[in-house]
Amino acid sequence: MAKSALFLILALASLPASAQRAQAELACTPSNTDFAYHCVVRLSRGGQPLPGADVSVGADMPSMPMAHNVRPVKAKPGKAPGEYQARLDLEMLGEWAVKLRLRGPVNDQLILHYDFDEKGARPVIRSGRLPRK
Amino acid sequence: MLELERVSRHFGGVRAVDGLDLKVRDGEIVGLIGPNGSGKSTTVNLVTGLFSLTSGQIRFRGQDIAPLPTHMRLQGGIARTFQNIRLFGQLTVWQNLWVAQNSPADRAKRGFFSRWLGGQSGVRDEIVSLLEFSGLAHKQDELASNLAFGEQRRLELARAMATKPKLLLLDEPAAGMNSEEIGQLRERILKLRERGLTILLVEHVMELVMGVTDRIAVLNFGQKIAEGTPAEIQKDAAVRKAYLGGDAAAAEGGS
Amino acid sequence: MDDYVTGVLTNIGLFSFLALSAYLLLIAGEMSFGQQAFFGVGAYSGGILTAIYGLPLPVAALVAMLLGSLCAFLVGLPTLRLRGLYFAMATLAAAEMARILFELFRFQRQIGGELVGPDGTQGFRGIRWVFERGVEPAGYLALVWGLLLIALVVFLLMERSRLGATLRAIGEDPDLARSCGISVERFKLGVAAAAGALAALGGVLFAHHNTYIEPRNFDIMLGVHSLAYALIGGLGTAFGPLLGVMVDLGVLEGSRVFQGYRMIAFGGLVAILLIFRPRGLLDEKVVHWLRARFS
Amino acid sequence: MLVDLIQNTLDGLTAGAAYALLAIGFTLIFGVLRRINLSYGPAIMLGCYAATWFHVQFQVGLLVLAALTLAATVLAGAYVERLCFAPHRDRSAIAAMVASFAIWMQLEELATLVLPNHLYAFPALYEGGPLSLGPFTLRAEALVMFAVTVLACLALQRLLYRSRFGLSVRAVIDQPVAARLVGINLPWVFVRVFAVASALGAVAGYLIVASAGQVTPMLGMWSTLKGMLAMMLGGLGSLPGAIVGGLALGLIEAHSQWFFGPQVRDLTAYFLLFALLALRPSGLWTTPRHG
């Protein structure tokens, strides 16, 4: 029901179909604790900020997908609309697949790849996996 | 039953078995003796297919079995015991026999499911009678690795019997037994013959070999140096020289 | 139950499929470093079938299992006659080949205005069949554990049967098994195929749980962990691998004492355990003792 | 085209030299213990990490770093031997291998605890650009790598053929049963073999890290896989085979990378390993043994 209503709204707004799903961006700064970050999630849909969602943030290590269970945290609404704040407690530096579970006005699950280091987190640009060449 | 014709097996330069001719007729008990390293165990391994032939022919009931893999030979009716006891130590006594019941006759008798679930009484009855035959009925749920030495020997023989063989190869079944146990073993071997089995007995212990066999073949350095009835073998000069000479007294008197 | 506990329990369930798959080969005497490849085959094929072709999950899972077992059969055919370490190395090579093939695999289609499908190293997003049907984490947890329970019951029945005894016989002494008239190679191929299907089922469930997979998910770490789980838990019963997964994911992960040091604790634990119990906590002797006690 | 081929061959041989060293270490352990040590690479990685840590703290020089890498790797190797191989000496090879995997997990986490970043700079052996030889280029580090590999092989050769220890090692590799019977003190041989193998691994690790100019925890898995691959290509347990296997792996990788790219390079290497195992499990180099 909610879903068909959503379709209707989207159709009325005549947005491109790809705008149907939410988009997310992540900005993280390191905290005082090792491997813990203050993160801001920016949610948007069709270019518009998406406020009011219930967001939980988790993380997985890509090369050990089921073994690192980072406790998902509920994000609090941030300063601007569509912004959410969460503290992410990782187990080590390196690449993590950040899992966003959205509920409320939008029900979705998004996966973002970020590389976490001592300065913060950057989206991953994929390259070879071995140390040399 | 079993015919070996000019059978050889070389390991590099070592001729473990060299041009051996041997015939075992239906219902016979044939002894195969010889000093350590004379090729007795190699012969058994050649017959069961654990080693491949360098040259020669092995026929079982008229059929050339050299190209067959081990398990096919066993399904064809050859079973064996091992010189150093080999059992499935992690399985119970019952399971050891259960696993070995794998002859074509067994499989034809059982349906697909009961074959794996083991529910059929025929299978049970056979195992029960084997357990009784070897005096292990009270130990049926024990792990094979927990059995005493003598019991393990008996289980090994029972396991060989579970495959319903026509030809039984016993590789030093009396090793490490005292003379009372050897006596029991002799009884058991004679009982097996009454059931119509043909037996090739590889053995060191003269007390046993001389007591049960119809014929004896003597190996030395992979070659047959004599063949005949136990009485003939005891008199044979070449055998005395090669084999009985040194340890005849020890082998006959003690062990 | 909060999301975290649900997530951990789901992961324990998912990992158990892989650990059971490794266990099945271990009791038949073969150590495979490559079960993660069949997990990956299941994840990729299952994901493609639901996300691109819109097939229902149960159908996709069945096809994926068939495919997983076919792949395992084909890998097993030339390698199962190898012994011990050689087989382990061959399966490792095969699994790494599979991972690289996933990296080279691109197969994307426009679905609902979005590109869906495997995109090489960029991974495969949008495996949303389960998600779109509004299945909540608790519901999915029940599905995973339900299937795992079925697998366990099948294992327990198998272990009580002659087939189970035969596999253990082959695992303990293949030459002796041959001398009992058992067709060792045929049994091992069957075991490899079944283990492949089991791993593939785990993979399908993993892909639909995660909604996203990538080639690196299926690297050697995953396979070796599943082996270690089976060996920690014990080779005496199918509960062994489950216990192994729980020790690592449940106990070590759950007790936050080890946070940041979990692998140090896990690694040390495994190494020391193997010294005292080389066939795991629930090995054949313990299981036999327990059975004699309680039946 | 021809120039590229020769250039690739040069590059391949250089990489192969490092692989050969790794494979020799692996082979020594496999040949003598009949065990696969998955922690071989991670121990090298830890050695390099220990040196890196020192460098970050105290800015020490190249030679000190090399010595530190060596010492730390041998120490880590000894730890692996005590925990994974000494207890399983007469028991399951599989248990030993899994234990060595468990220790790998430990060492990797230890490294990331000490130095949590994914990458660390390591002082390079040579700061200048590549040397050019006519149309070809050769990195100076490559020359060093090659020279050190040859020296290490010669030293090992001397050790194996000119000392009592070497005699027992060769005896154990060729005739394990006979070696037991003639009363060689096996545990002691094993311990020293581990030390020698770790030292060779440390040399390889140091050269690799110093010519790449960086360390990552991936070095552990990488060294184990490359060492194992090269060992298998050369035939398990054969020392000359390990050298041939290492060089062959380097050449195969360099050429297939040039023709098909990095992913196919790895694919080719694994495919070769798989095909070799399936068709000729005793390896390229050794004559198949009977029995």
Side-chain angles (χ1 to χ4, degrees):
Chain A
M1 188 58 207
K3 215 173 183 182
S4 45
L6 199 75
F7 267 112
L8 197 65
I9 295 164
L10 289 174
L12 287 175
S14 73
L15 288 167
S18 63
Q20 171 186 343
R21 283 192 64 190
Q23 310 267 312
E25 249 178 73
L26 200 63
C28 294
T29 48
S31 72
N32 294 329
T33 322
D34 272 353
F35 313 139
Y37 293 84
H38 295 299
C39 293
V40 176
V41 181
R42 283 189 199 86
L43 279 187
S44 61
R45 190 165 51 189
Q48 300 297 314
L50 183 63
D54 176 17
V55 180
S56 80
V57 187
D60 251 346
M61 204 93 192
S63 70
M64 268 310 286
M66 292 168 287
H68 294 271
N69 297 294
V70 169
R71 188 181 284 273
V73 284
K74 287 255 180 288
K76 292 188 282 285
K79 289 163 199 143
E83 279 191 7
Y84 303 82
Q85 288 179 334
R87 185 189 140 105
L88 204 52
D89 222 336
L90 301 175
E91 289 172 356
M92 57 178 88
L93 300 181
E95 198 183 322
W96 288 84
V98 176
K99 259 189 194 169
L100 300 179
R101 183 76 170 82
L102 314 180
R103 292 189 181 91
V106 56
N107 192 22
D108 207 342
Q109 176 162 307
L110 302 175
I111 310 241
L112 311 168
H113 274 92
Y114 277 80
D115 203 347
F116 289 84
D117 58 25
E118 75 272 29
K119 291 186 214 76
R122 275 161 305 161
V124 172
I125 299 131
R126 204 53 59 82
S127 62
R129 52 195 286 278
L130 295 176
R132 295 172 65 230
K133 287 180 186 164
Chain B
M1 178 72 70
L2 181 72
E3 284 171 87
L4 275 66
E5 210 176 290
R6 305 223 47 79
V7 162
S8 297
R9 168 71 208 205
H10 303 169
F11 295 106
V14 182
R15 301 172 168 210
V17 175
D18 196 20
L20 175 65
D21 288 311
L22 186 68
K23 247 188 201 145
V24 183
R25 285 182 277 274
D26 285 17
E28 250 187 336
I29 300 182
V30 174
L32 190 60
I33 64 173
N36 277 328
S38 59
K40 306 185 300 289
S41 286
T42 307
T43 307
V44 174
N45 284 332
L46 288 172
V47 174
T48 56
L50 290 184
F51 293 163
S52 58
L53 287 177
T54 303
S55 66
Q57 273 202 320
I58 301 183
R59 276 188 299 275
F60 175 60
R61 304 168 88 194
Q63 190 202 353
D64 179 16
I65 57 170
L68 296 180
T70 300
H71 70 272
M72 301 272 281
R73 301 189 194 192
L74 274 290
Q75 287 172 4
I78 304 177
R80 71 173 293 185
T81 64
F82 289 84
Q83 184 179 348
N84 41 354
I85 305 174
R86 276 166 93 168
L87 291 167
F88 300 115
Q90 298 160 5
L91 301 184
T92 63
V93 169
W94 178 282
Q95 285 174 319
N96 264 277
L97 300 181
W98 200 16
V99 160
Q101 282 188 322
N102 210 21
S103 69
D106 276 326
R107 282 184 288 161
K109 218 159 49 181
R110 281 170 278 171
F112 181 78
F113 286 105
S114 55
R115 179 172 153 205
W116 297 123
L117 297 174
Q120 261 188 355
S121 56
V123 175
R124 270 169 203 282
D125 292 349
E126 277 163 24
I127 297 181
V128 167
S129 79
L130 279 171
L131 286 170
E132 274 162 12
F133 172 72
S134 47
L136 289 169
H138 60 296
K139 296 266 180 163
Q140 67 170 45
D141 290 324
E142 198 62 62
L143 287 186
S145 54
N146 292 346
L147 294 182
F149 178 77
E151 292 169 334
Q152 292 192 339
R153 281 255 180 246
R154 278 180 277 157
L155 177 57
E156 222 198 351
L157 184 59
R159 187 198 57 218
M161 292 302 299
T163 64
K164 294 189 197 62
K166 312 224 163 31
L167 171 70
L168 189 57
L169 308 171
L170 301 177
D171 196 354
E172 305 200 16
M177 284 187 171
N178 61 32
S179 54
E180 191 195 331
E181 287 169 327
I182 289 173
Q184 291 170 353
L185 178 63
R186 175 164 41 200
E187 293 309 306
R188 225 170 261 126
I189 290 176
L190 290 174
K191 257 189 218 159
L192 290 179
R193 195 233 295 265
E194 282 166 26
R195 293 185 176 191
L197 249 82
T198 308
I199 295 171
L200 180 66
L201 174 66
V202 172
E203 191 49 88
H204 263 315
V205 180
M206 289 305 131
E207 190 187 340
L208 181 64
V209 182
M210 296 301 168
V212 297
T213 53
D214 302 313
R215 262 185 323 123
I216 295 176
V218 186
L219 289 188
N220 199 17
F221 298 113
Q223 288 178 323
K224 188 165 74 180
I225 55 169
E227 189 173 348
T229 63
E232 287 165 358
I233 292 298
Q234 271 173 318
K235 279 181 229 140
D236 191 292
V239 178
R240 282 187 167 274
K241 190 172 159 229
Y243 182 51
L244 295 175
D247 6 59
E252 274 175 319
S255 58
Chain C
M1 217 175 352
D2 70 353
D3 277 3
Y4 173 69
V5 177
T6 316
V8 172
L9 289 177
T10 308
N11 282 340
I12 290 178
L14 291 172
F15 233 136
S16 296
F17 282 100
L18 200 55
L20 274 175
S21 166
Y23 165 82
L24 182 55
L25 277 161
L26 278 172
I27 58 172
E30 293 290 357
M31 183 171 59
S32 163
F33 270 134
Q35 294 311 100
Q36 72 274 19
F38 311 120
F39 194 78
V41 166
Y44 268 88
S45 58
I48 288 171
L49 290 173
T50 60
I52 295 183
Y53 294 110
L55 289 178
L57 179 62
V59 178
L62 278 178
V63 176
M65 283 171 76
L66 273 176
L67 208 61
S69 95
L70 180 70
C71 292
F73 180 84
L74 291 178
V75 172
L77 213 52
T79 55
L80 273 168
R81 64 194 167 79
L82 301 173
R83 291 194 177 209
L85 299 172
Y86 293 79
F87 177 75
M89 292 305 110
T91 49
L92 170 68
E96 284 293 284
M97 269 155 65
R99 185 183 55 73
I100 298 169
L101 289 174
F102 292 146
E103 284 181 2
L104 297 169
F105 183 39
R106 288 199 171 72
F107 183 73
Q108 290 189 295
R109 294 289 178 275
Q110 287 281 344
I111 308 283
E114 245 183 303
L115 265 183
V116 172
D119 182 21
T121 52
Q122 298 299 320
F124 177 3
R125 282 163 199 277
I127 308 173
R128 298 162 62 80
W129 197 89
V130 170
F131 191 80
E132 278 166 0
R133 266 143 203 82
V135 178
E136 281 299 304
Y140 201 69
L141 175 69
L143 174 69
V144 169
W145 277 84
L147 288 170
L148 184 62
L149 212 65
I150 295 174
L152 273 175
V153 168
V154 172
F155 260 90
L156 292 181
L157 282 176
M158 187 272 285
E159 301 239 15
R160 296 184 77 89
S161 74
R162 205 171 78 126
L163 174 61
T166 306
L167 293 186
R168 285 191 186 275
I170 291 170
E172 189 175 336
D173 189 340
D175 275 344
L176 178 55
R178 281 190 191 96
S179 302
C180 292
I182 295 168
S183 171
V184 171
E185 274 67 30
R186 203 183 300 171
F187 273 98
K188 280 194 173 169
L189 269 177
V191 163
L198 200 61
L201 176 60
V204 178
L205 294 172
F206 164 69
H208 288 83
H209 171 62
N210 225 25
T211 70
Y212 165 79
I213 51 178
E214 63 176 306
R216 276 185 308 170
N217 289 164
F218 313 109
D219 76 6
I220 173 181
M221 282 291 153
L222 188 63
V224 185
H225 265 85
S226 58
L227 258 182
Y229 290 151
L231 278 165
I232 301 165
L235 300 181
T237 161
F239 289 115
L242 208 63
L243 178 70
V245 181
M246 283 179 182
V247 166
D248 184 33
L249 292 196
V251 178
L252 290 183
E253 169 74 31
S255 64
R256 295 266 114 186
V257 184
F258 293 112
Q259 185 167 33
Y261 301 88
R262 172 163 139 238
M263 280 301 154
I264 295 186
F266 177 65
L269 185 73
V270 174
I272 292 167
L273 193 76
L274 283 169
I275 297 175
F276 299 105
R277 304 200 64 81
R279 291 180 73 82
L281 287 169
L282 297 174
D283 64 5
E284 288 82 355
K285 291 229 157 110
V286 170
V287 170
H288 180 255
W289 184 84
L290 287 173
R291 258 188 210 139
R293 242 329 99 119
F294 297 110
S295 66
Chain D
M1 182 69 191
L2 188 65
V3 172
D4 284 329
L5 269 182
I6 295 173
Q7 179 68 52
N8 287 336
T9 306
L10 277 176
D11 292 347
L13 286 176
T14 330
Y19 295 160
L21 272 184
L22 290 172
I24 289 173
F26 235 104
T27 304
L28 271 177
I29 294 176
F30 182 83
V32 173
L33 280 82
R34 296 279 137 187
R35 301 279 187 272
I36 284 186
N37 177 14
L38 292 177
S39 257
Y40 180 63
I44 296 169
M45 183 270 296
L46 199 75
C48 295
Y49 257 69
T52 312
W53 184 82
F54 252 86
H55 179 69
V56 170
Q57 303 290 323
F58 307 112
Q59 301 293 319
V60 290
L62 279 178
L63 277 177
V64 181
L65 276 183
L68 279 170
T69 309
L70 193 76
T73 306
V74 171
L75 211 64
Y79 172 67
V80 172
E81 200 271 341
R82 285 291 98 190
L83 207 55
C84 307
F85 293 90
H88 298 288
R89 197 156 282 147
D90 301 314
R91 293 192 299 181
S92 154
I94 285 178
M97 175 147 111
V98 174
S100 75
F101 169 73
I103 296 307
W104 166 355
M105 301 280 90
Q106 259 196 332
L107 298 182
E108 207 168 285
E109 184 145 49
L110 200 65
T112 54
L113 277 176
V114 175
L115 296 170
N117 278 4
H118 193 63
L119 273 181
Y120 278 90
F122 198 88
L125 276 177
Y126 174 72
E127 296 292 347
L131 314 172
S132 50
L133 308 161
F136 311 117
T137 57
L138 197 59
R139 294 165 71 210
E141 305 93 88
L143 279 180
V144 176
M145 188 173 286
F146 221 84
V148 175
T149 303
V150 171
L151 279 178
C153 288
L154 288 176
L156 182 69
Q157 159 97 6
R158 237 189 121 70
L159 181 70
L160 286 180
Y161 287 87
R162 296 282 165 79
S163 72
R164 251 192 84 76
F165 165 64
L167 183 66
S168 18
V169 168
R170 283 183 293 135
V172 177
I173 291 181
D174 291 341
Q175 298 288 337
V177 182
R180 260 169 214 276
L181 292 179
V182 299
I184 291 175
N185 181 352
L186 283 178
W188 182 224
V189 171
F190 291 164
V191 169
R192 284 189 291 171
V193 159
F194 240 86
V196 172
S198 301
L200 284 170
V203 173
Y206 176 78
L207 290 172
I208 290 162
V209 166
S211 54
Q214 60 186 42
V215 266
T216 100
M218 298 296 273
L219 179 70
M221 187 204 267
W222 185 86
S223 317
T224 290
L225 284 180
K226 296 295 177 192
M228 209 150 65
L229 255 170
M231 170 176 82
M232 300 290 316
L233 283 175
L236 279 165
S238 148
L239 288 170
I243 299 174
V244 174
L247 294 176
L249 181 62
L251 286 176
I252 291 162
E253 287 195 354
H255 286 291
S256 57
Q257 161 139 1
W258 189 80
F259 280 108
F260 308 109
Q263 281 157 332
V264 176
R265 171 195 70 193
D266 292 348
L267 193 64
T268 317
Y270 286 118
F271 178 75
L272 261 173
L273 175 60
F274 184 83
L276 265 176
L277 278 169
L279 301 174
R280 206 180 149 79
S282 53
L284 271 184
W285 188 249
T286 49
T287 49
R289 282 194 195 161
H290 50 73

